[in-house]
Amino acid sequence: MAAAARVARVVIDSPLPQLDHLFDYAIPEELADAAVPGVRVRVPLRSAGRVADGYLVEVGAPDDAFEGTLSPIEAVVSPARVLTPQVWRLARRLADRSAGTASDILRLAVPGRMVRVEKAWLASRAASSGDPMSPSASDGDGMSPPTGAIGPVVPVRGYGERVLEDAVARDERIALRAIPRLVPLPDGTWVGEWAVTLAALAADCWRGGRTAIIAVPDHRDLEQLAAALAAVAPPEAVVRADAGQANADRYRGFLEALSGPRIVIGNRSVVYAPASRLGLLVVWEDSDPLHAEPLSPYVNTRDAALVRQELEGCALILSGNIRSVEAQRLLELGWLRDVGPERAITPKIVLTANQQAPEPMARAARIPSTAWRTAREALDGSSGRPRGPVLVQVARPGYAPVIACANCGQAARCMHCKGPLHQTRAGAPPSCTVCGRLATDWQCEHCEHRRFRMVTVGSGRTAEELGRAFPGTRVILADGDHPVQRIGSAPALVVATRGAEPIAEGGYQAVLLLDGERMLARESLHVAEDCLRWWQSAAGLAAPGAPTVLVGVSGPLARDFATGRLVEFAHAELVDRRELRFPPAVRLASVTGAEATVTEVLEAVDASLLIDVLGPAPVEPDGASARRAGPDQVRAVLRFEYAHGTDVAAAVRAAVVKNATRRRRAPAGRPGYRPAPTLRVRFDDPEIL
C-alpha cells in the first residue's frame, strides 16, 4: 500500500465529549515517514477552519465504505513518540468506565511539551542508536536495564526469603500488610520499613529488565521512598514524577521513562507513566483521599492501577499502614492475595479517657494525666527509657480554627461575605477564612453579642499550651504552614497535624494522639478508616517499645487500633457497607445539573441496570458542589452493581454527549455566544455519602 494511501487515526485534545473518538485523516506524502503512532500532530477541524492538537494513535488502511476525501494532517509537531499503545488503551478504558473523555486522562498521562528538553532527549537517542525516530522502549522491545552499576542486591526483610520477590516475578496481585516501624538506611537516614520493602521489590524488578511504578499520596512518602531507593538502585534507574516538580523536570522524567526499564515513583498521575515491560505496579496507602483525582473524569489512583494491571498483566501490590475497605473487598473476592510479615509487629497502644487532670500542668495543657505523665517521662527519661522527642498529633492547623459567639454559641461569620471566622494567634482579632478581612467590629447576627470564644483549638494554640506545661522544653510546630520533614533525637515536643508528622531519628519516645473525638465527628463515609490510618501512621513513628496514647476515643474502633486488628476492622466495615449498599459494596454515579437535564440522564439509563436512584435533590447552597455547578442545581445518585458498570457508564455518556451537542439560546446581545453545558457526572465519588 502506498504511503499516501495510509490513514492516520487521531485523538483530539479536547474536553468536549462529542469529540471523544478517533478521527481519520489522510497522511500527506511529505509526512509519511514522520506520521507514526504516538507522535503529537496538528489537524484541521471542519468548523470555522480551526486547527486542533492531538495524538496519532494508529495508522491503517482507508475504510472501503468511505467515498469522500479525508482532510490531511497539518503537521507532525515532534518525532517523539510520547503516547504509547499501553497508555492509550488505559486512557480509553478508564474514560469509558467513568463516562469521561480519553483526552482528559491523557492530560494527566502526558506532560506538556518542553521543546528544549525534548530536543536534548532526541539528540541523546540519536547518538546512542543512530535513529531518534526509532520505536521507544515502551513499544515492547525488551530493553535491558543500564549496563553500569546496578546497586547492592538487598532482599526484602520480614516476609520470608524471596516470598515477595517471587510473587512479583509470577505477576501476582497482593494485598500487603506493612511493617509499622522506622529503620535506618546505610547513610543514617531513618525511613519507614514500608519504603525499604517497596524499594527492594522495585530494584529486584528493575534488575530483571522490567519497569516498576510506585504511586504514593504525598511528598513526605515520596521523600522516604526516594531515600530508600538511593540505597539499592543507581540514580539513573529511578525516575521521579512529582506534581511539585518544575515543568521541564517533569517532562525530562517522562522522557526517561520512555527510554527503557526504570523505577518510576510519584503521586497520583504516575500510574499513567509509560513503561517498558511493566513488571510491578504499587499503590501505597490506597485509602488516602489524596489518591482521589480532583480533575475530570475523577479516576482514583487505585482504580487506574487495577485497570492497568488487567490490561498489562503485571504484578500489583496494594499496601498501607491499614487495610483499605476496597482492598478487603478484592481480597474476599479472591482477586488479591493476603501477604503479611512473618512476625506480627504492633505498636504499644494506651487508651485513656479525655477527662480533667488533677495535675496543674496537665490541666494547663488540657490533656489527661496519663498523656501528661507519658510525655514527661519520655522527655526526662524517668521511665528507664532513653530521653527523646515526643510527638503530639492534633486535628487542625492554626491557632483557633473555629470560633463562636460567647453568648449564644452560634458559629462566628464574617459580616462581609459570611465566611467562617478564625483567630490566627493569641490576642489577634478574628479574621475571615474566605476574604481575609479583620472582624474588628464583629457582632453576632443572632444575639448581637460582641465577644467570641474558641470552639476548636489548632496546632498553634496546642503548642503554646504545651510550652507552658513543660517549661524549658523545646516545642516544634509542624503543619501545612510550618513544614518539618525530620528532627533529631534530642528531647522536644513536636506538635503536628495529621499527615504532617516529621520523622525523628531513632523514633519518638512517646506519641500522644489528641483530638480523636473531633476527628471522628467529621461527616464522611470514610471517617473511621481515615482516623485509623492517621493514628496507625503516627504510631509507626514511635521507637520500639515506646507508648502511643490515644486520648478520648473508645469503642470497637479504639479496640481494633490498640490490638492491631486492622484487617478485622476492614472486614467489619465492609460487612456494614454491604448491608447499607454503600461503596465499595456497590458502585455510585452522581449526576449534577439543572433539574430537567438530570431527569433526562436518569431516563436514558435502563432502570433494570440500577439498584436504585437517590434524588434528585437540591444541592446545598453553601456546599462546594453548588459553587462549582451554580445556582438552582440538583443532584441524583445512581447505585448499581459492578457487573452493570459498563452499561450504566455508556448510557450516561450518551446522555452527556446529547446534552453537550444541544443548541442553546444565546444571551441577549451576544448572538455568537454558546453557553457551556453545566451537567457534571462523577463515578465513584468518595465523599458523596
Side-chain angles (χ1 to χ4, degrees):
M1 182 173 56
R6 295 187 307 163
V7 172
R9 296 185 170 90
V10 176
V11 56
I12 293 175
D13 183 9
S14 171
L16 298 178
Q18 61 268 36
L19 300 182
D20 184 35
H21 59 87
L22 296 182
F23 289 81
D24 287 355
Y25 289 92
I27 301 178
E29 186 174 354
E30 63 272 16
L31 298 178
D33 294 333
V36 294
V39 299
R40 287 183 169 98
V41 294
R42 191 167 290 121
V43 295
L45 289 179
R46 290 196 177 273
S47 57
R50 293 180 298 170
V51 176
D53 293 324
Y55 299 96
L56 199 160
V57 174
E58 59 186 38
V59 175
D63 188 350
D64 293 336
F66 180 71
E67 298 179 353
T69 301
L70 293 176
S71 300
I73 292 176
E74 292 245 343
V76 173
V77 176
S78 165
R81 301 175 66 173
V82 294
L83 178 60
T84 66
Q86 296 88 346
V87 173
W88 163 248
R89 287 196 296 269
L90 176 64
R92 184 69 274 163
R93 177 73 69 84
L94 289 174
D96 292 341
R97 186 179 186 273
S98 55
T101 63
S103 62
D104 284 338
I105 299 289
L106 294 180
R107 290 192 197 98
L108 302 173
V110 184
R113 183 178 179 233
M114 298 284 109
V115 177
R116 183 176 300 178
V117 172
E118 186 175 275
K119 286 183 176 180
W121 178 74
L122 290 172
S124 66
R125 287 177 62 84
S128 59
S129 65
D131 183 8
M133 293 178 59
S134 62
S136 72
S138 296
D139 293 334
D141 64 356
M143 240 179 118
S144 300
T147 56
I150 62 173
V153 179
V154 178
V156 177
R157 302 173 300 191
Y159 294 91
E161 185 177 357
R162 290 202 62 83
V163 169
L164 286 176
E165 293 96 327
D166 292 343
V168 170
R170 294 190 298 267
D171 295 329
E172 293 188 14
R173 301 181 294 255
I174 296 171
L176 182 64
R177 284 176 278 162
I179 301 175
R181 66 183 178 193
L182 294 175
V183 294
L185 297 175
D187 63 356
T189 302
W190 289 77
V191 298
E193 179 82 48
W194 68 268
V196 175
T197 299
L198 298 184
L201 283 175
D204 186 76
C205 180
W206 172 77
R207 281 191 290 268
R210 301 200 296 173
T211 291
I213 296 177
I214 305 177
V216 299
D218 62 26
H219 69 281
R220 295 175 180 275
D221 296 323
L222 196 57
E223 293 297 337
Q224 292 186 64
L225 184 59
L229 281 169
V232 296
E236 61 270 18
V238 181
V239 173
R240 184 162 174 165
D242 183 2
Q245 289 177 304
N247 292 337
D249 293 336
R250 190 175 184 189
Y251 193 54
R252 187 178 294 108
F254 171 82
L255 295 176
E256 272 300 307
L258 282 169
S259 302
R262 296 290 189 271
I263 301 171
V264 190
I265 62 174
N267 306 126
R268 286 187 301 263
S269 60
V270 75
V271 74
Y272 305 109
S276 171
R277 298 185 61 214
L278 182 59
L280 174 62
L281 192 54
V282 181
V283 181
W284 168 252
E285 291 287 26
D286 64 291
S287 64
D288 196 303
L290 290 176
H291 280 303
E293 177 58 56
L295 302 177
S296 178
Y298 317 105
V299 179
N300 189 284
T301 306
R302 176 184 53 249
D303 296 335
L306 293 172
V307 172
R308 185 164 192 177
Q309 191 282 329
E310 181 185 358
L311 292 174
E312 301 195 38
C314 61
L316 173 69
I317 294 178
L318 300 182
S319 186
N321 286 305
I322 67 167
R323 171 71 53 76
S324 70
V325 182
E326 289 79 7
Q328 182 66 23
R329 170 185 168 271
L330 295 172
L331 189 143
E332 294 183 9
L333 290 174
W335 205 83
L336 293 177
R337 180 167 74 92
D338 184 21
V339 176
E342 290 181 299
R343 183 172 64 90
I345 298 175
T346 57
K348 179 183 177 181
I349 309 298
V350 179
L351 303 179
T352 183
N354 194 4
Q355 57 189 10
Q356 188 175 17
E359 296 89 348
M361 291 296 188
R363 285 202 307 271
R366 290 191 291 183
I367 59 176
S369 296
T370 302
W372 181 76
R373 285 194 297 268
T374 300
R376 185 189 61 186
E377 291 169 358
L379 292 170
D380 59 22
S382 59
S383 64
R385 293 183 51 81
R387 300 174 64 214
V390 175
L391 173 64
V392 182
Q393 185 193 71
V394 296
R396 299 283 298 270
Y399 188 80
V402 179
I403 61 176
C405 174
N407 182 49
C408 67
Q410 291 288 335
R413 294 279 177 176
C414 175
M415 299 179 67
H416 175 71
C417 71
K418 304 304 179 183
L421 298 181
H422 69 151
Q423 191 177 14
T424 57
R425 65 183 185 277
S431 60
C432 180
T433 60
V434 177
C435 66
R437 295 195 179 199
L438 295 178
T440 53
D441 57 347
W442 175 84
Q443 69 175 13
C444 178
E445 59 183 8
H446 296 277
C447 67
E448 299 184 352
H449 195 69
R450 291 187 174 273
R451 296 180 64 85
F452 62 89
R453 61 179 175 85
M454 289 183 291
V455 176
T456 61
V457 177
S459 55
R461 177 62 183 266
T462 302
E464 181 182 286
E465 293 174 344
L466 288 174
R468 289 195 295 264
F470 295 92
T473 302
R474 183 167 63 117
V475 179
I476 300 173
L477 180 61
D479 56 24
D481 294 329
H482 309 86
V484 180
Q485 295 280 12
R486 299 180 181 275
I487 64 169
S489 58
L493 278 168
V494 181
V495 180
T497 52
R498 54 185 187 263
E501 304 91 347
I503 294 177
E505 182 180 339
Y508 291 97
Q509 293 304 319
V511 176
L512 309 183
L513 305 177
L514 308 182
D515 300 341
E517 292 174 308
R518 190 176 304 158
M519 294 180 186
L520 285 169
R522 184 170 59 96
E523 294 184 3
S524 170
L525 178 65
H526 305 272
V527 61
E529 188 176 8
D530 289 341
C531 289
L532 192 60
R533 183 182 64 255
W534 294 328
W535 299 338
Q536 183 71 8
S537 177
L541 300 178
T548 296
V549 181
L550 176 60
V551 176
V553 180
S554 59
L557 179 62
R559 290 195 298 270
D560 288 343
F561 172 55
T563 57
R565 293 168 52 86
L566 307 180
V567 173
E568 289 77 5
F569 162 80
H571 171 72
E573 189 80 359
L574 181 59
V575 169
D576 290 342
R577 297 192 193 180
R578 281 175 177 152
E579 292 180 357
L580 298 171
R581 290 184 172 179
F582 282 173
V586 299
R587 290 189 66 192
L588 298 181
S590 64
V591 183
T592 306
E595 185 172 2
T597 305
V598 172
T599 302
E600 287 182 4
V601 175
L602 299 181
E603 292 174 348
V605 182
D606 188 346
S608 64
L609 300 175
L610 303 176
I611 298 173
D612 57 14
V613 176
L614 308 178
V619 178
E620 291 295 331
D622 57 348
S625 298
R627 289 194 295 270
R628 286 191 299 264
D632 302 324
Q633 301 289 290
V634 300
R635 180 174 62 200
V637 179
L638 289 66
R639 292 199 288 193
F640 51 94
E641 301 290 350
Y642 283 81
H644 297 149
T646 301
D647 294 333
V648 172
V652 171
R653 185 177 182 277
V656 170
V657 172
K658 180 180 178 181
N659 176 71
T661 54
R662 181 182 300 140
R663 296 192 62 85
R664 296 172 179 82
R665 181 177 299 176
R670 303 181 66 181
Y673 176 77
R674 184 177 182 180
T678 58
L679 185 63
R680 179 173 178 265
V681 174
R682 181 167 184 175
F683 277 64
D684 306 308
D685 188 343
E687 296 297 336
I688 199 66
L689 297 173

